[in-house]
Amino acid sequence: MTWVNAVLQGVFLGGLYALFACGLSLLFGVMRIINLAHGDIAVLGAFLIWQISTSFGISPFLALIPTLVVMLVLGYVLQKTMLTRALRGGPLIPLLATFGLSIVIQNGLLQVFSADVRSLGGQAGPIAHASWTITDQLSVPVLGVVVLATAVAVLGGLQLVLRRTGVGREMRATAQDADTAGLVGVPSSSVYARATAIAVATATLAGMFLALRSTFSAASGPTQLIFAFEAVVIGGLGSLWGTLGGGIVLGVAQTVGAQFDPQWSILAGHLVFLLILATPRGRSLDLGGVRA
Amino acid sequence: MSTTERAQRPATGTGYRVSRSSLTSWLGSLGFLAVLVVLAFVPIAFIPVVIQQTTSFLILVILASMWNALAGYGGLVSVGQQAYIGFGAYAVIFLTQRDVEPYLSIVIAALASGVLALVVSPLLLRLRGGVFAIATWVVAETIGLIILMQASLGGGTGVSLRALNVYPVADRRAYTYWITLAFTVVLLGAVLLLLRRRTGAALQAIRDDEGAAASVGVRTRPLKLILFVLAGVGCGAAGALTLANTLFIQPQSIFGVQYTAFMIFMVLVGGLGSFEGPILGALVFFVAQNEFADLGAWYLIGLGLVAIGFALFLPRGLWSLIGDRLPGPLLPIGYRLRSNKS
């Protein structure tokens, strides 16, 4: 039964990774860039929520609203100032520039908030630790369900926007061929700015849930970036539902690995990822779904 | 070599000739040799702190050149070269625990890191761009985690290189310096040779546009493999030498992604895709580290901002400002068309 429990916890953990991953996946799908600062942006969001929540004594869920506004603006500005310019410099420059940004955010947070490990669990009230007990060894954490539901809602919502709305059509057109989309009156720069804003907002959401279910510090970003990226690659690059599947595969690998030995948790996730990279079809399980 | 003969034949028959060397490249080569001779005498002429600092600087030169070989010429942005840095350092620990002579261990460790690169290359080299970048990072994390679990290698608390204690301190410092200098010469020499031979034209074609290079018949895969393995050997050597220079390592720091941050900074500031740029970048970084490292987080924020600035506004780095003003390349790489009249 402990194994069933491990798998179940892994599925919920996978929801969190999918939430981290969807912004990464969207930016890759639309702009063909991997944002190496994605994890640090999520952690920045978590710190803002923590700051607002502790200063005003309000629930993190309430603090999320002003934070989202700030982060959306930040994402828009980031796109307009840095990414647009980086995209013009060829394929290497966005990688190098976002890696630089990652260093800046990480150390900026370190400078402002010190190296202390924090958690939002305390501010959130009972929801952070409550769970439904099914049997002695099997329990369903409320927060895990909330995270998974949020991940499904965000991924489903994104999918719906991409498939059914004019904004989504513009994004898909730009993703396929930015120049041709520009010819028919879809300016790539505003599409990119919207995509970046969405990616930053979902990263903030993921950062909040990370902070609610465990601890975070200024140095947490890179690890979350790696997990998000593993989820994206396992699920198939640019595929949104695949990302959810990838996140769950990674989460289950980690919790089942931890069942053998706590030291094995992260390593097991990496090994599953590398194993999937090594398969002859390579690069992904391709868990289906429409591509962004 | 037939390509050389063909290239040296006058292109149109009259008025022009093609040559490798120029006055600049003769002076440049002589300058490099002179610096090498001076460097060879550092342990005899200077105080210990200078020897140790120069060793650190040479390690930086190795790291920058290796990362530049990958990204600047192969288009391979690796965020995981710390895999080989850490592997090289721990291989020295592993070998000296089995009574292998420490300096011989460094050489073996460097070669073993090359073998590691060869082993993971089928997995990584079919990936591109950002996917390649993070996959190399995962490989580094994986190797770091595995070594962290080995109690015999010190686990998470770190481990000292005791085997070097058989040498008197002054001798040890000098030997470590000389072997670092030897590695620097061999590794940079290998890069230079790759650039000078026929592979050089191919590498520069891949640097400028990989798709176009492949379409005119450049076989990109074997070249990328050569660069990847060379960078594995170089970074492994850098890790092993760092251990010999500092005598203590911890898995968290030797497998840390900060090495990638430093390499990116050096190469971007110095000049991506040039031979001289990374050396210049290593010099700038070395000075910055000595001047500002006390500032802690502010120092790293500054490094990040400078790196972003160079990536966005001067992607060919400081060397492009100097190199473009010179009448020719400092080292005889590539060919030049010259008028016979001049």
Side-chain angles (χ1 to χ4, degrees):
Chain A
M1 205 46 115
T2 52
W3 295 98
V4 178
N5 189 47
V7 172
L8 191 69
Q9 306 307 324
V11 172
F12 294 128
L13 186 58
L16 179 65
Y17 292 157
L19 207 51
F20 267 110
C22 80
L24 202 65
S25 187
L26 183 74
L27 275 200
F28 184 82
V30 177
M31 289 160 77
R32 299 281 141 205
I33 66 167
I34 297 267
N35 175 13
L36 292 178
H38 189 75
D40 301 291
I41 289 171
V43 173
L44 171 67
F47 268 108
L48 282 181
I49 293 172
W50 181 86
Q51 185 64 52
I52 295 172
S53 172
T54 46
S55 320
F56 298 99
I58 55 174
S59 148
F61 296 105
L62 219 60
L64 174 68
I65 297 164
T67 305
L68 268 183
V69 175
V70 174
M71 293 298 284
L72 276 172
V73 174
L74 211 68
Y76 197 83
V77 171
L78 179 71
Q79 158 62 32
K80 286 285 177 198
T81 53
M82 206 181 99
L83 295 183
T84 312
R85 210 187 162 88
L87 273 172
R88 267 185 270 147
L92 300 190
I93 300 301
L95 273 176
L96 301 176
T98 54
F99 190 80
L101 181 67
S102 147
I103 305 285
V104 172
I105 296 179
Q106 239 177 79
N107 289 287
L109 290 174
L110 189 68
Q111 190 68 41
V112 176
F113 294 101
S114 81
D116 293 350
V117 173
R118 291 180 171 77
S119 173
L120 280 174
Q123 272 96 358
I127 187 179
H129 304 292
S131 62
W132 295 297
T133 310
I134 294 175
T135 68
D136 278 350
Q137 284 158 337
L138 202 63
S139 64
V140 177
V142 175
L143 189 63
V145 176
V146 173
V147 175
L148 191 59
T150 311
V152 172
V154 167
L155 287 165
L158 263 181
Q159 187 84 337
L160 210 65
V161 167
L162 282 173
R163 285 287 119 194
R164 300 260 177 247
T165 66
V167 175
R169 265 193 295 280
E170 287 180 6
M171 265 187 201
R172 280 184 291 134
T174 307
Q176 278 184 6
D177 189 335
D179 292 337
T180 312
L183 284 178
V184 295
V186 181
S188 60
S189 69
S190 66
V191 172
Y192 288 163
R194 267 180 238 145
T196 311
I198 296 174
V200 168
T202 57
T204 308
L205 208 56
M208 180 186 74
F209 283 122
L210 168 77
L212 282 170
R213 73 183 295 284
S214 62
T215 57
F216 68 104
S217 74
S220 300
T223 318
Q224 299 309 319
L225 168 72
I226 290 181
F227 293 161
F229 170 79
E230 287 177 335
V232 171
V233 171
I234 293 172
L237 273 170
S239 150
L240 287 175
W241 288 124
T243 299
L244 183 63
I248 290 174
V249 169
L250 180 67
V252 170
Q254 288 187 357
T255 48
V256 169
Q259 203 64 41
F260 286 102
D261 181 338
Q263 274 194 316
W264 270 86
S265 166
I266 294 171
L267 187 60
H270 290 340
L271 290 178
V272 166
F273 165 79
L274 291 174
L275 213 65
I276 285 166
L277 269 190
T279 53
R281 272 182 63 227
R283 297 175 222 190
S284 77
L285 290 177
D286 209 355
L287 294 160
V290 194
R291 267 151 214 286
Chain B
M1 209 167 63
S2 66
T3 46
T4 319
E5 285 157 20
R6 216 178 306 132
Q8 278 169 349
R9 218 180 296 145
T12 50
T14 51
Y16 293 97
R17 68 200 152 87
V18 176
S19 71
R20 297 212 83 139
S21 53
S22 63
L23 185 62
T24 326
S25 78
W26 275 109
L27 291 175
S29 307
L30 280 176
F32 266 90
L33 280 177
V35 170
L36 266 185
V37 171
V38 172
L39 281 174
F41 287 103
V42 162
I44 297 165
F46 289 98
I47 52 170
V49 65
V50 175
I51 304 170
Q52 202 160 7
Q53 289 279 33
T54 317
T55 308
S56 312
F57 170 65
L58 289 176
I59 294 172
L60 290 177
V61 170
I62 294 177
L63 286 174
S65 296
M66 291 301 112
W67 199 84
N68 177 55
L70 280 179
Y73 292 107
L76 299 165
V77 175
S78 169
V79 186
Q81 286 311 105
Q82 61 272 22
Y84 312 97
I85 298 174
F87 185 83
Y90 272 96
V92 171
I93 297 285
F94 180 85
L95 289 166
T96 51
Q97 280 175 349
R98 278 148 195 79
D99 295 325
V100 181
E101 205 286 328
Y103 288 110
L104 179 64
S105 303
I106 293 177
V107 177
I108 300 174
L111 296 175
S113 306
V115 173
L116 175 68
L118 192 65
V119 170
V120 296
S121 66
L123 204 61
L124 293 174
L125 284 184
R126 61 177 173 182
L127 310 173
R128 272 161 201 283
V131 183
F132 172 83
I134 311 195
T136 57
W137 196 353
V138 175
V139 169
E141 292 284 310
T142 307
I143 295 171
L145 280 171
I146 291 172
I147 285 184
L148 189 74
M149 288 184 202
Q150 310 307 314
S152 65
L153 293 175
T157 48
V159 61
S160 318
L161 183 62
R162 288 196 208 89
L164 273 183
N165 292 343
V166 298
Y167 298 102
V169 177
D171 290 1
R172 185 183 74 208
R173 210 176 279 123
Y175 294 158
T176 303
Y177 174 83
W178 274 317
I179 194 171
T180 308
L181 183 62
F183 265 111
T184 313
V185 170
V186 169
L187 290 163
L188 267 66
V191 175
L192 197 63
L193 215 63
L194 275 176
L195 290 177
R196 235 184 100 87
R197 292 179 62 93
R198 188 174 175 168
T199 44
L203 286 175
Q204 297 187 23
I206 297 174
R207 173 193 66 186
D208 293 338
D209 188 333
E210 191 183 335
S215 74
V216 295
V218 175
R219 286 166 61 222
T220 57
R221 275 298 280 274
L223 279 171
K224 284 183 169 186
L225 182 64
I226 291 172
L227 289 175
F228 194 66
V229 172
L230 176 68
V233 174
C235 292
L241 294 166
T242 302
L243 172 64
N245 199 29
T246 60
L247 301 177
F248 177 76
I249 44 166
Q250 268 186 312
Q252 290 93 334
S253 65
I254 199 87
F255 282 103
V257 74
Q258 85 277 0
Y259 277 110
T260 295
F262 298 160
M263 285 188 259
I264 290 183
F265 177 86
M266 289 188 282
V267 174
L268 271 178
V269 170
L272 186 69
S274 68
F275 181 82
E276 299 89 345
I279 303 172
L280 181 65
L283 197 62
V284 173
F285 178 69
F286 181 72
V287 172
Q289 205 176 28
N290 283 321
E291 292 291 317
F292 304 116
D294 299 339
L295 298 175
W298 284 118
Y299 158 68
L300 292 166
I301 293 172
L303 284 191
L305 286 175
V306 171
I308 295 174
F310 271 93
L312 295 183
F313 299 104
L314 197 61
R316 286 173 57 232
L318 288 177
W319 182 254
S320 69
L321 299 178
I322 304 165
D324 292 354
R325 280 172 179 73
L326 292 176
L330 260 195
L331 288 166
I333 302 167
Y335 296 95
R336 288 170 55 77
L337 187 66
R338 291 165 66 193
S339 167
N340 272 336
K341 286 167 204 142
S342 67

